[in-house]
Structure formats: C-alpha cells, structure tokens
Amino acid sequence: MKIAIVHDWLTTYAGSEKVLEQMLELFPEADLFSTVDFLSGKEREFLRGKEVHTSFIQKLPLAKKKYRQYLPLMPMAVEQFDLSSYDLILSSSHAVSKGVITGPGQLHISYVHSPIRYAWDLQHQYLKESGLHKGLKGMAAKWMLSRMRMWDYRTSNGVDHFLANSDFIASRIWKVYRRESQVIYPPVNVSAFAYHEAKDDFYLTASRMVPYKKMDLIVEAFSKMPDKKLVVIGDGPDMVKIREHAGDNIQIMGYQSDEVLIDHMQRAKAFVFAAEEDFGITVVEAQACGTPVIAYGRGGSLETIKGLRSSEPTGVFFEEQTVDSVMAGVQRYESESRRISPANCRKNAMTFTPEFFKRSLKAFIDEKLDASTSSDHRAQEMFRVL
C-alpha cells in the first residue's frame, strides 16, 4: 500500500509539526508533501532525513520569509501534487492540505487542526490585527478570503473521513463543512516535562507574542497586582506592546531554550494562559510538570484542563479576555489552590501522550481501510452478477 502524507507548510517545529512527526513514525514508508519546506537544520531533525516534495511556491521570490503572502496561490499549489498512485492519503491541515485532489479508488483521511481560521469565524479579527479591515487593501483581502472559503468548502467533499484535534474543532468542522468528525487529541511529549512537586513564588506565561495569544492582557493584569511575580517567556511582534505594560514585578525573558522553559514550568506556582486555542499543547505541558493552569474558559482549554467542578481539578478558568477577568482568575486560583494537587495535574497530562495518539490514529485508519476494502469487494461482486 502506497501512502502519502500532506502538510500545509514546513517552516517551524510547532504543534502541527508534532502531529506530523507522529504520523511519520506510524508510517515511515510514506511520501511527504508540503507547499514549502524552509525548516532549518536542527528543526528538521524530526523528519529523519525524509525527502519533502514541495510545490512551485518553494521557488517563488522571497518565499522563505513571506510564504504566507502566497496564500492565494496555495489552493492551486496543493492541487498540483500528483497523488494518483497512492492508496491512502493522510492530510494534516490547518489551511490548504486537505484540498489535494484524490480519486474514488483512494482513501483520504484529513486530520484537521482547524478549518482555515482567517477565512472563517476569525476573519474579522485577523483583518483588524493585520490592518486590512478597510481601504483598497482591505477590499482585496476580503475578496481573496471569500474565494478561499468557496474553495475550502468545495474541497471538503474530497475528504472521506475527518479527524479533529478537539471537540471544539469538531464543532467548527460541522459548522463550516457540515461533516461529522472523530476526535483524536494531538500528541504531547509529556515525558520531556518531568514532574516537579515543589513550587516557587512566581507565575509563568509562555507563548509566541502574537495578538491572539493575548499575552498583553496577562502582563497588564499582573502589573495591577504588584504583590504577585510573573515570568514571561517568548518573543514576537507584540514584544514592544508587552514591555510597555510590564511593571517591576514582571520579568520578560524573551525567547528561551526548551531547557529554560521546562525549568520555569516545573517551578511556577501556576501557568497563565489567555488564548482561545483549538487545543493548547502548552497547558498540557505545564500540567505534565505538575503545574496548575489559570486559563481562559473557551476552546480546547475546556478539554485539557479540569476545572474546579471536577473532583480532581488541575486549574481554574476565567470568563473573559479582559484584564479584570484575568485578575479574577488569579484571585480564584489563590483562594482554591489547596484543592489542586501537582499529582492530579500530571495524571491529567498523561492522557495526551504520543503513544495514545498513534494507537488511536492507527485504529481509526485500519477501521476505514477495512471498510473501504469490503466496499470494493461488494462492488466487484455486483459487477460480476451484472
């Protein structure tokens, strides 16, 4: 059986690439396709030397730094991949890879991290954050995203079975494509985040400093609580704004190595998270260290964190993405922290291991392959009768 794995783009080693890594471990003989491949030497180690088949976008001017600006060309790019010789196509998609062209004799299973966020329900937020919500550039961007939505919906018909990385994303898949999906939570390398019961007197937040992560809310909230220490790890375009909000009780460390991040995760009294994520790998990593989480109560966090209503809580939720709500969440945690044990945090994180992901994915694929084979046999028997 020939297998193709299709990924949106390879530019960094982040959440979707960690899913791809496990897919490649499960199917080491598979061929890999991606619109572009600009991974650096160390970042590409998870590919284990596998050749990447890229699209024409790889060779376009400035593609390495500005590949996202070629988004209008990406639907055409993935449609140019010739997958006609493959029996199983497994796409890992948060943008365009699910749109590859397949035939009736092929099985296409798409693991969806999210339908294209900036084309669907988060369109207005992304346009405002990019300064493209008005003017001629705004009109062009809105027209492009309208075309992208039509293409995205149409190509959902080419997927035989959808997998979602959370119930939150499964609801998005239904809303956008009107297709059912099965949830398989993404893999988290919890073994790299050693359990540490003793905690120091500081809170931690860590993320890329981009608008939707809402790091500025967390920093501003702690600036209004000068008796509480906050450590901030990460870098990105919002760094200047975040530094402007930081009080004397806040240490902004910028980008740090995994070793430094893990050390702080292990010692923090709680990890603070204000984004509405599809899943949220970082909050699972914090719990793997035995560290409770204070999180915005929307999206995947509701599935990866056990709130105070649980018999074994691992964190607390705040209700809104506002400074006051973050502050209320911290106060709630401090009043209820005795109920949240590091051991229960670790126990909860262990339900998201790579081994569990691979077992679940393989079982799903085997089931669908068996069903597809049985269907082919029935069709052949009917043809013989006729």
Side-chain angles (χ1 to χ4, degrees):
M1 182 173 65
K2 288 192 67 178
I3 303 171
I5 299 177
V6 190
H7 194 68
D8 289 314
W9 47 73
L10 290 166
T11 58
T12 187
Y13 179 62
S16 62
E17 286 71 36
K18 292 174 183 178
V19 169
L20 174 62
E21 180 178 18
Q22 299 305 316
M23 289 179 174
L24 291 172
E25 285 193 13
L26 196 57
F27 301 109
E29 74 283 7
D31 291 331
L32 178 59
F33 296 80
S34 175
T35 55
V36 296
D37 173 19
F38 294 120
L39 288 172
S40 62
K42 187 171 183 180
E43 284 184 317
R44 68 185 307 103
E45 289 178 358
F46 78 97
L47 298 178
R48 299 182 181 181
K50 182 174 286 293
E51 178 186 1
V52 181
H53 302 277
T54 56
S55 73
F56 64 84
I57 295 177
Q58 180 81 14
K59 297 181 180 179
L60 293 180
L62 302 177
K64 185 171 184 178
K65 290 185 177 180
K66 297 183 181 291
Y67 66 94
R68 290 181 184 272
Q69 294 190 10
Y70 288 114
L71 182 65
L73 298 179
M74 286 186 180
M76 181 171 65
V78 298
E79 289 177 345
Q80 301 313 304
F81 290 139
D82 182 4
L83 306 180
S84 58
S85 64
Y86 293 92
D87 305 294
L88 170 64
I89 294 89
L90 185 59
S91 59
S92 166
S93 183
H94 58 76
V96 297
S97 67
K98 77 152 195 19
V100 292
I101 295 175
T102 60
Q106 299 172 291
L107 181 65
H108 180 191
I109 296 174
S110 186
Y111 186 92
V112 176
H113 307 276
S114 176
I116 310 175
R117 301 176 185 89
Y118 31 83
W120 292 100
D121 55 314
L122 299 182
Q123 172 191 280
H124 300 293
Q125 176 182 331
Y126 273 86
L127 288 174
K128 286 179 181 178
E129 290 171 353
S130 304
L132 294 172
H133 58 295
K134 56 186 177 181
L136 290 177
K137 286 186 177 180
M139 290 293 292
K142 291 170 186 176
W143 179 85
M144 184 273 289
L145 291 175
S146 176
R147 301 288 297 179
M148 183 70 75
R149 281 192 293 276
M150 288 188 283
W151 176 85
D152 191 37
Y153 178 77
R154 176 180 61 79
T155 56
S156 68
N157 294 313
V159 177
D160 296 295
H161 304 285
F162 277 104
L163 291 169
N165 73 354
S166 64
D167 288 325
F168 180 63
I169 291 304
S171 66
R172 268 189 176 162
I173 291 171
W174 173 254
K175 183 79 173 182
V176 171
Y177 307 138
R178 281 299 188 260
R179 295 285 302 277
E180 298 284 355
S181 57
Q182 181 168 318
V183 174
I184 297 180
Y185 291 120
V188 181
N189 186 17
V190 295
S191 62
F193 294 80
Y195 177 68
H196 193 271
E197 191 162 340
K199 302 300 178 184
D200 292 346
D201 187 25
F202 70 89
Y203 292 88
L204 173 70
T205 187
S207 175
R208 288 179 295 119
M209 293 184 179
V210 292
Y212 87 93
K213 293 289 188 179
K214 305 296 182 183
M215 297 277 278
D216 55 322
L217 287 182
I218 298 171
V219 170
E220 189 174 349
F222 274 85
S223 293
K224 294 185 175 183
M225 298 182 290
D227 58 319
K228 306 182 196 309
K229 297 177 183 177
L230 174 70
V231 174
V232 181
I233 294 178
D235 202 352
D238 275 6
M239 173 64 89
V240 174
K241 180 168 66 171
I242 287 168
R243 286 192 183 278
E244 289 175 353
H245 289 306
D248 294 338
N249 59 320
I250 297 171
Q251 180 185 5
I252 299 178
M253 299 181 65
Y255 173 80
Q256 297 294 324
S257 67
D258 288 345
E259 292 76 15
V260 173
L261 172 62
I262 292 170
D263 173 64
H264 282 78
M265 272 190 173
Q266 290 172 327
R267 296 187 293 110
K269 64 195 300 184
F271 185 83
V272 189
F273 189 76
E276 182 181 337
E277 285 281 19
D278 307 326
F279 175 74
I281 287 178
T282 313
V283 300
V284 178
E285 293 171 341
Q287 291 173 86
C289 296
T291 300
V293 181
I294 303 168
Y296 176 46
R298 289 284 302 275
S301 294
L302 293 173
E303 300 172 56
T304 55
I305 303 165
K306 294 183 177 180
L308 293 174
R309 293 182 180 179
S310 169
S311 59
E312 296 180 342
T314 64
V316 301
F317 297 111
F318 53 89
E319 297 177 357
E320 299 176 342
Q321 288 176 312
T322 64
V323 170
D324 288 342
S325 193
V326 173
M327 294 173 65
V330 174
Q331 299 292 347
R332 189 176 304 117
Y333 166 74
E334 293 197 343
S335 64
E336 300 285 350
S337 60
R338 65 188 182 281
R339 293 183 51 202
I340 306 173
S341 74
N344 284 336
C345 292
R346 177 72 178 185
K347 178 182 175 182
N348 186 48
M350 294 304 292
T351 63
F352 302 99
T353 63
E355 291 72 27
F356 184 80
F357 171 83
K358 285 186 287 190
R359 284 198 307 270
S360 301
L361 181 60
K362 186 176 187 305
F364 182 88
I365 291 173
D366 287 347
E367 175 190 338
K368 300 309 177 185
L369 283 171
D370 289 344
S372 178
T373 301
S374 299
S375 178
D376 289 344
H377 286 325
R378 287 195 297 271
Q380 290 172 9
E381 289 299 322
M382 290 178 66
F383 181 76
R384 290 193 189 98
V385 171
L386 294 172

